[in-house]
Amino acid sequence: MIRRSVADEAVDVDGPTDAEAVMGRWARGIVVVAIVTIASGLVAGTAGARPLPVVYSLGAATATAVRSPDSPPPGADDWSCRPSTRHPVPVVLAHGTLFNRTIDWQALAPLLKNQGYCVYALNYGQQPSSTYLGFPGASTTGGTGPIEQSARQLAAFVDRVKSSTGAAKVDIVGHSQGGTMPRHYLKFLDGARSVDQLIGLSPSNHGTTVLGLSSIPGVPEALRLGLGTAIRQQIVGSDFLRRLNAGGDMVPGVRYTVIETRHDEVVTPYTAAFLTGPGVTNITLQDGCPQDYTDHLAITYDRLALSHVLHALDPSYPVAPCVFSSSLSGV
């Protein structure tokens, strides 16, 4: 009988000679099976974590909102999410006037989730009395109530996100009024303690002339009565904007990025979106891509604009190449 040493034990090459050898081989077999089973489970779990679909179309997003009114967009509002080491700051999304979270964020929410962010989207400024004014898919109109009240809703939402995730601060990405309303939170509600950066997509930071109509007597008041208080507050020269922008555009400690399109037909002139101050980054899409024709409503579905958002959140994320983009992103 030939014998050899394995792990300092004598083991028969031609078979076990005692119960101890048999039990040793049985135990090793169990370990091998366990390792294979665990590995298979890990592989299966990885394979199951497929990226969420991203829809680059305002029209398709509106259709989704009709089917599921006021529902969170894909990837958003997972209250069990824990921030990763790579992306430790949760992202809060704030929709625009007359929009809601469902219509505005069908692209950006899954994009962020696919990149490993904890992402949350709130509805704010909803007034049941103006239900008929909203886009299809909104049970109530969003972003029409007083902006000061909406800012308080944002403050409560940010506190909930911080409590759920354990994060000290959040980043906010807002569209239109959603890029301006958070500035009230930062300046007047101590929001700077809870926000690292604010990224605005076509924000109404310095108001709008409403294509010049705001200078016609009676038009601003008519807009307020017909579309809600927040509309009037975003017109150039409003008391709200004077208070908001008095003493400078920025709050110390917060980083600001504005992403705007020259084809903005809501914030007019489009340069009214931009902020001034140290550390502010203002981006005009057409400076780097003249073929981009996205407008105010569809900028949240523009590939180039959204890549600038992800680049602002994480500079290692590449800005998308310049390609033709139509107004309303394929509607």
Side-chain angles (χ1 to χ4, degrees):
M1 182 179 294
I2 302 173
R3 301 172 70 87
R4 68 178 182 183
S5 176
V6 179
D8 298 326
E9 292 184 329
V11 180
D12 293 338
V13 172
D14 59 352
T17 58
D18 52 39
E20 183 177 1
V22 173
M23 290 299 293
R25 291 183 177 179
W26 179 82
R28 287 194 294 273
I30 291 295
V31 170
V32 171
V33 171
I35 292 173
V36 171
T37 300
I38 293 171
S40 299
L42 290 174
V43 170
T46 302
R50 297 177 181 176
L52 294 169
V54 178
V55 179
Y56 293 96
S57 168
L58 175 59
T62 303
T64 298
V66 170
R67 293 192 300 269
S68 304
D70 296 331
S71 60
D77 296 356
D78 175 4
W79 296 101
S80 66
C81 186
R82 295 295 176 268
S84 65
T85 302
R86 182 179 178 185
H87 299 306
V89 182
V91 180
V92 171
L93 306 179
H95 61 77
T97 307
L98 299 178
F99 275 35
N100 64 10
R101 63 181 180 176
T102 317
I103 295 172
D104 241 347
W105 305 120
Q106 293 292 317
L108 185 55
L111 270 175
L112 290 168
K113 189 68 172 182
N114 290 343
Q115 290 296 313
Y117 289 92
C118 292
V119 56
Y120 304 88
L122 83 157
N123 283 329
Y124 69 88
Q126 294 180 306
Q127 296 182 304
S129 61
S130 57
T131 300
Y132 67 98
L133 295 171
F135 272 67
S139 63
T140 55
T141 301
T144 58
I147 296 178
E148 299 90 341
Q149 176 181 309
S150 296
R152 290 192 291 272
Q153 293 173 344
L154 173 63
F157 192 82
V158 168
D159 285 346
R160 182 184 177 192
V161 170
K162 289 170 54 183
S163 176
S164 175
T165 61
K169 292 189 174 185
V170 305
D171 290 329
I172 298 176
V173 180
H175 174 218
S176 192
Q177 182 192 158
T180 302
M181 174 271 289
R183 293 181 54 220
H184 180 89
Y185 164 55
L186 297 176
K187 185 171 185 176
F188 299 111
L189 302 178
D190 202 23
R193 291 192 307 112
S194 299
V195 177
D196 181 48
Q197 64 176 317
L198 171 61
I199 302 169
L201 289 156
S202 296
S204 52
N205 283 318
H206 292 277
T208 175
T209 64
V210 196
L211 295 173
L213 295 177
S214 63
S215 61
I216 300 175
V219 168
E221 182 62 19
L223 289 173
R224 183 189 70 80
L225 293 175
L227 299 178
T229 302
I231 299 289
R232 174 64 183 87
Q233 290 180 307
Q234 293 174 84
I235 292 177
V236 168
S238 71
D239 290 340
F240 171 81
L241 288 174
R242 281 197 294 267
R243 290 193 303 271
L244 180 65
N245 295 317
D249 293 343
M250 298 179 60
V251 173
V254 179
R255 294 178 290 149
Y256 297 80
T257 300
V258 174
I259 302 164
E260 176 62 307
T261 172
R262 284 200 179 100
H263 305 291
D264 195 326
E265 75 282 32
V266 175
V267 174
T268 57
Y270 77 91
T271 52
F274 296 134
L275 298 171
T276 58
V280 172
T281 301
N282 291 314
I283 299 168
T284 302
L285 295 176
Q286 289 74 27
D287 284 349
C289 188
Q291 302 98 303
D292 192 311
Y293 291 92
T294 193
D295 65 352
H296 181 92
L297 300 179
I299 194 170
T300 57
Y301 290 93
D302 183 75
R303 293 175 185 269
L304 179 60
L306 296 186
S307 74
H308 276 294
V309 171
L310 270 71
H311 182 75
L313 293 170
D314 178 0
S316 70
Y317 189 90
V319 173
C322 177
V323 296
F324 174 79
S325 176
S326 65
S327 177
L328 292 181
S329 298
V331 171

